[in-house]
Amino acid sequence: MKTFPKEVLSVSAIELSRRLHSREITAVELLQTTLDRIDDVNPKLRAIVALRKDRENLLQEALDADFDLDYAAANTDHRKQVGWLRGIPLAIKDLFMAKGIPTTLGGCPLFGEQTEQGEDEGSYKFGNWRFENEVEDEPYVGRLRDAGAIIIGKTNAPELGMGCHSYNTIHGTTLNPYNLSVTAGGSSGGAAAAI
């Protein structure tokens, strides 16, 4: 699978959509490039706090997006039926529910349970805390999916979203990608650092 230089991750969502719709890049290539970049920088930044582990399903979502985009590129009458976010990977702030991904409300221990057990099916484990996967999407997350976005995970936030820095006791502090000696701010510091 071909990946692209990180430059492709520095363009606007509108430009990514244009490149996907014109087939300059595939959704699979964009997804793999995004996941590679997260693997490379996230251990230092702590911007993404829950990344979907079902990589086969993520890949299938990207393949489905490519099928739709290929069909739309070949059939002008189908172009308007493909959402502009089709094939673009997105992470949701950890204050909102997204199906298949746990919501910790900014790492708030009140919404998890402390455990020494291994990870159970249907839950994610952060340190000694376990959080259940969500069973449905928040309405706005559903709208992003309907527009074609591929939801890949959650971004860090302060506990219950109340704070000027994206720090919490479970996920730690999100750092500024341009200066690792300062935070990324908040309450959307995880989202800001992920961009």
Side-chain angles (χ1 to χ4, degrees):
M1 183 180 323
K2 178 177 158 187
T3 59
F4 284 76
K6 67 179 182 177
E7 173 277 328
V8 78
L9 302 178
S10 299
V11 300
S12 70
I14 296 291
E15 176 61 16
L16 275 180
S17 180
R18 186 197 67 73
R19 291 181 188 188
L20 284 163
H21 282 80
S22 67
R23 309 312 289 138
E24 293 172 37
I25 185 172
T26 69
V28 170
E29 292 164 341
L30 179 57
L31 176 66
Q32 190 58 54
T33 301
T34 301
L35 294 175
D36 289 348
R37 182 72 176 152
I38 291 168
D39 289 344
D40 184 41
V41 301
N42 198 57
K44 292 178 220 141
L45 299 179
R46 291 185 293 280
I48 307 290
V49 295
L51 192 59
R52 281 178 51 189
K53 296 178 182 179
D54 58 338
R55 295 292 170 104
E56 298 84 22
N57 290 338
L58 275 175
L59 178 59
Q60 187 59 54
E61 288 179 41
L63 287 167
D64 292 346
D66 281 332
F67 178 84
D68 291 346
L69 291 162
D70 286 340
Y71 187 80
N75 300 283
T76 56
D77 60 321
H78 185 70
R79 286 188 187 148
K80 291 184 180 178
Q81 296 176 12
V82 177
W84 78 272
L85 287 174
R86 192 67 175 133
I88 297 179
L90 292 179
I92 304 302
K93 189 174 182 177
D94 185 36
L95 299 178
F96 303 100
M97 292 185 299
K99 186 176 180 178
I101 308 169
T103 300
T104 70
L105 295 176
C108 185
L110 295 175
F111 296 94
E113 64 181 53
Q114 200 158 17
T115 178
E116 294 296 328
Q117 300 173 16
E119 188 171 329
D120 299 327
E121 187 69 29
S123 67
Y124 276 52
K125 188 174 178 192
F126 302 103
N128 290 330
W129 293 91
R130 184 173 58 82
F131 295 88
E132 298 298 319
N133 287 342
E134 296 298 341
V135 295
E136 60 184 37
D137 284 336
E138 199 77 42
Y140 100 92
V141 176
R143 289 185 196 111
L144 290 171
R145 286 190 207 267
D146 290 346
I150 299 172
I151 308 301
I152 62 169
K154 297 281 188 86
T155 60
N156 203 10
E159 290 181 5
L160 303 176
M162 294 190 248
C164 58
H165 297 283
S166 287
Y167 163 79
N168 59 67
T169 57
I170 293 177
H171 304 301
T173 303
T174 299
L175 300 178
N176 185 315
Y178 298 101
N179 181 351
L180 296 177
S181 68
V182 297
T183 73
S187 76
S188 296
I195 290 175

